[in-house]
Amino acid sequence: MDPYKRLQLARKNGRPSGRFYIENILTDFVELHGDRRYADDPAIMAGVGLLSGHPVTVIAHEKGGDIRDKAHRNFGSANPEGYRKALRQMKLAEKFGRPVLCIVDTAGAFAGMGAEERGQGQAIAENLMEMMTLKVPVVSVFVGEGGSGGALALAVADEVWMLENAVYSVISPEGCASILWKDASKVKEACSCLKMTAEDLLEMGVIEKVIPETQPETLCETLKAQLDMAFSALSAMTPEERCEKRYARFRRLGVFGE
Amino acid sequence: MLNKMNFKKNRNQLEGYSPSLEETSPSVPDALFNKCPECGRVTLSAELSESLLVCPKCGCHIRIPARKRLLALCDEDSFEEWDASVYSKDPLDFPGYAVKLKSSRLKSRETSAVITGRGKIAGMDCALFAMEGQFMMGSMGSAVGEKVTRVFERALEQRLPVIGFTVSGGARMQEGILSLMQMAKTSGAVKRHSDAGLLYVTVLTNPTTGGVTASFAMEGDIILAEPGALVGFAGPRVIEQTMRQKLPKGFQSAEFLMEKGFLDGVVPRTEMKEKLTTILRLHKGGSSYGSV
Ligand SMILES: [Zn+2]
């Protein structure tokens, strides 16, 4: 399928976002709120639940359901407090020794005045650093859009998976088109250039797994089973081994000459 | 070469300015005078070079080549460059990238958008990196990510503090997702260096934005910035589009970030060496009281 079609699917109104997966993969979910510094950011949902009976921390972008909910959640574009809320949950996971599941679905970190004032760059940077040495297993699943640093701030993980029609890119194709061709309507071309589909990223070794998109119920069952397996396997390693492997995972990424 | 007097209004970019401390290719003409992009004052290039490209009239910090900065900062003959041979490739066959890389190499006379190495500052050893704004706006692709990562890995091995100067438009779109991955890669290396109890000081210069702000620029133990430097995650134009309003004057300036608590100091370029020397001295080997 052409990359532009995938982008449209990834952004499609009504496509399940974070909350749907939390509700359908976990049981006994307790939502936890706030960053303890400034506010609670509804663009990111977080808490603890059971995955096949095991407690896990879950951190998810949520774009919102109806238009009111979408506005409330800022369409899944988090402010710095969202990333700090996520980090707070990761630290709790580390304290209580439970794995972290991140569900990514965002067009990107919010580019607002308040976000800048409160250190959007600093908040993301801190997550990147802290996630790299987080002592518990981390798996990130991209379920829709994966926009740049705002997505990466929940994706410094032991394994990164993408749903078949999810996308992950350093810049929105619109942004790319307007910089490259001074023409934001050349989104189609930009989509192909950026290599942003799950297929492309698997080929580049940026992700571990592409999850086929079946009916939502079966998809959640598949995810649940695969996550359960992944967390079991990751838990068999020591924290040092996991961190070493996580570092190596990102260390090898990049193409350059010498 | 008087005819090459340059009156470009381009902010922070004096074309034709020739760094005196580096090898210059004969094809690039030297300008005898330079005009300040802020106040218009015309200064002898030699004099401007002496003041590290800070306008003697208005104090505007004109963009300085990375190599000149490092050579001016380090004790004489102490700078030893690392990984000078690392260069960018075009892994995605991205439209126009190969040509852009070529012209950037010619324009900046560097092989990548960052120079790394080790040197001495007032006799103290440290690892260093400085980004080069003339090389695709200091954007971070795989080559920059690799070089910065190696600085921290090597500094960890050699137990050196790291001092880094940033100037960047962000991640390098032309390398797609691989450029985004450099944010994680560099951050991981910074974290390891940090966990070993070693010092990292960043100096943010105009402009530092996007993926570099959201990774190693903001990860210093101590973060300084040059006066007037624009520092942010999103660029001003993007924010204006999002907010549908003009940004107030000085928004995202170094002084603004200082006020909001994201910087340890705004330090003029001419005082930077002194400030860094003091900071390095204060962090030399643990507590003098013994183990605390
Ligand atoms: Zn001036």
Side-chain angles (χ1 to χ4, degrees):
Chain A
M1 198 192 299
D2 101 76
Y4 181 60
K5 284 233 173 67
R6 298 243 192 241
L7 177 78
Q8 287 175 313
L9 284 174
R11 288 177 174 174
K12 199 173 167 193
N13 199 11
R15 183 182 172 92
S17 191
R19 175 202 282 276
F20 173 84
Y21 294 96
I22 293 177
E23 285 171 353
N24 288 282
I25 292 174
L26 304 181
T27 55
D28 300 276
F29 175 64
V30 175
E31 188 171 2
L32 301 170
H33 292 274
D35 69 346
R36 300 296 188 270
R37 273 147 181 73
Y38 178 77
D40 182 41
D41 188 343
I44 289 183
M45 271 181 87
V48 195
L50 296 177
L51 175 83
S52 310
H54 306 283
V56 298
T57 283
V58 62
I59 302 163
H61 288 109
E62 169 55 46
K63 288 186 168 179
D66 59 27
I67 189 67
R68 258 188 82 152
D69 190 36
K70 279 191 168 70
H72 172 63
R73 296 186 182 278
N74 202 23
F75 299 83
S77 283
N79 275 282
E81 45 276 18
Y83 296 109
R84 293 184 181 124
K85 168 184 183 173
L87 183 57
R88 182 180 152 246
Q89 291 306 324
M90 292 178 209
K91 290 292 172 184
L92 279 179
E94 195 170 51
K95 174 173 176 181
F96 295 107
R98 56 185 178 235
V100 176
L101 165 61
C102 293
I103 298 169
V104 179
D105 188 17
T106 184
F110 190 55
M113 281 174 72
E116 292 295 318
E117 267 174 17
R118 300 191 294 279
Q120 187 72 285
Q122 187 277 334
I124 294 170
E126 190 170 0
N127 280 19
L128 304 186
M129 271 178 100
E130 294 300 326
M131 288 184 85
M132 194 61 93
T133 53
L134 203 72
K135 292 191 181 73
V136 292
V138 186
V139 173
S140 297
V141 184
F142 284 60
V143 299
E145 277 188 282
S148 196
L152 183 64
L154 296 188
V156 181
D158 299 305
E159 294 199 17
V160 179
W161 305 348
M162 286 173 77
L163 299 196
E164 192 183 344
N165 295 315
V167 293
Y168 188 11
S169 174
V170 65
I171 186 171
S172 74
E174 287 82 3
C176 172
S178 69
I179 294 172
L180 203 59
W181 297 291
K182 315 271 172 240
D183 182 356
S185 69
K186 293 199 166 171
V187 179
K188 260 185 158 163
E189 289 85 337
C191 279
S192 310
C193 294
L194 286 167
K195 305 266 192 295
M196 58 198 289
T197 66
E199 225 178 330
D200 287 327
L201 299 194
L202 183 70
E203 201 185 305
M204 284 192 269
V206 173
I207 62 168
E208 275 73 19
K209 202 175 277 189
V210 180
I211 312 280
E213 288 190 28
T214 48
Q215 288 307 309
E217 297 73 31
T218 35
L219 172 60
C220 286
E221 280 312 307
T222 310
L223 267 176
K224 195 168 151 181
Q226 301 230 11
L227 285 166
D228 189 35
M229 264 169 36
F231 284 136
S232 304
L234 288 165
S235 300
M237 290 187 246
T238 66
E240 293 72 30
E241 285 168 345
R242 258 193 318 265
C243 286
E244 195 59 46
K245 223 180 141 205
R246 196 181 301 151
Y247 186 81
R249 182 191 185 280
F250 288 93
R251 183 67 187 84
R252 66 181 166 76
L253 294 175
V255 174
F256 56 90
E258 193 166 9
Chain B
M1 290 203 233
L2 269 165
N3 60 335
K4 268 320 272 187
M5 250 180 54
N6 216 310
F7 292 96
K8 276 259 157 129
K9 56 271 152 206
N10 224 344
R11 190 164 199 263
N12 291 310
Q13 191 182 348
L14 286 187
E15 286 185 20
Y17 163 75
S18 176
S20 55
L21 289 168
E22 63 166 307
E23 299 168 11
T24 53
S25 91
S27 63
V28 177
D30 289 342
L32 210 47
F33 298 97
N34 279 125
K35 189 179 176 183
C36 172
E38 276 297 295
C39 72
R41 149 112 183 212
V42 175
T43 310
L44 266 171
S45 292
E47 189 192 332
L48 199 58
S49 175
E50 193 63 33
S51 68
L52 297 171
L53 277 82
V54 177
C55 172
K57 187 178 172 199
C58 73
C60 164
H61 283 52
I62 300 163
R63 188 173 301 149
I64 184 170
R67 193 167 292 275
K68 180 178 169 69
R69 187 192 282 283
L70 289 177
L71 292 176
L73 175 69
C74 291
D75 300 349
E76 217 180 327
D77 293 329
S78 75
F79 183 70
E80 169 202 323
E81 189 171 357
W82 287 341
D83 304 309
S85 57
V86 171
Y87 65 93
S88 302
K89 285 193 163 177
D90 184 9
L92 306 187
D93 246 326
F94 203 93
Y97 187 34
V99 175
K100 205 141 203 186
L101 280 174
K102 204 172 164 191
S103 64
S104 292
R105 276 185 212 118
L106 287 171
K107 192 171 158 199
S108 65
R109 281 164 279 156
E110 299 293 350
T111 48
S112 77
V114 69
I115 298 172
T116 62
R118 66 175 287 168
K120 285 182 195 292
I121 296 176
M124 292 172 283
D125 288 303
C126 51
L128 299 135
F129 69 84
M131 303 186 81
E132 174 52 64
Q134 294 269 35
F135 199 109
M136 288 187 76
M137 249 325 293
S139 58
M140 171 159 67
S142 302
V144 169
E146 180 66 23
K147 286 179 82 171
V148 171
T149 300
R150 287 188 195 178
V151 168
F152 286 93
E153 288 179 339
R154 224 165 273 163
L156 174 59
E157 270 168 42
Q158 304 180 11
R159 297 208 57 86
L160 295 173
V162 175
I163 293 179
F165 295 86
T166 61
V167 50
S168 181
R172 193 172 295 168
M173 171 183 88
Q174 290 87 344
E175 291 186 25
I177 199 76
L178 292 174
S179 64
L180 191 72
M181 293 302 113
Q182 306 310 308
M183 292 168 63
K185 181 164 129 184
T186 52
S187 298
V190 173
K191 184 65 163 61
R192 288 189 157 196
H193 180 262
S194 175
D195 286 349
L198 298 164
L199 173 72
Y200 171 32
V201 182
T202 45
V203 181
L204 315 179
T205 78
N206 189 42
T208 297
T209 59
V212 167
T213 300
S215 63
F216 59 84
M218 280 295 173
E219 292 168 350
D221 299 300
I222 295 175
I223 306 179
L224 307 174
E226 287 189 341
L230 177 95
V231 179
F233 175 64
R237 255 184 315 153
V238 176
I239 303 168
E240 285 183 344
Q241 278 166 19
T242 312
M243 309 294 287
R244 295 196 182 87
Q245 68 174 86
K246 276 253 161 242
L247 293 177
K249 204 173 176 306
F251 191 75
Q252 296 183 302
S253 68
E255 294 74 12
F256 175 83
L257 263 79
M258 183 75 195
E259 188 191 308
K260 297 291 171 192
F262 289 98
L263 297 179
D264 291 289
V266 177
V267 182
R269 195 178 285 161
T270 43
E271 295 165 26
M272 196 60 81
K273 179 164 181 159
E274 202 189 326
K275 180 67 101 189
L276 292 172
T277 303
T278 311
I279 290 172
L280 283 172
R281 197 165 280 142
L282 289 169
H283 290 82
K284 238 166 58 177
S287 166
S288 315
Y289 289 116
S291 53
V292 274

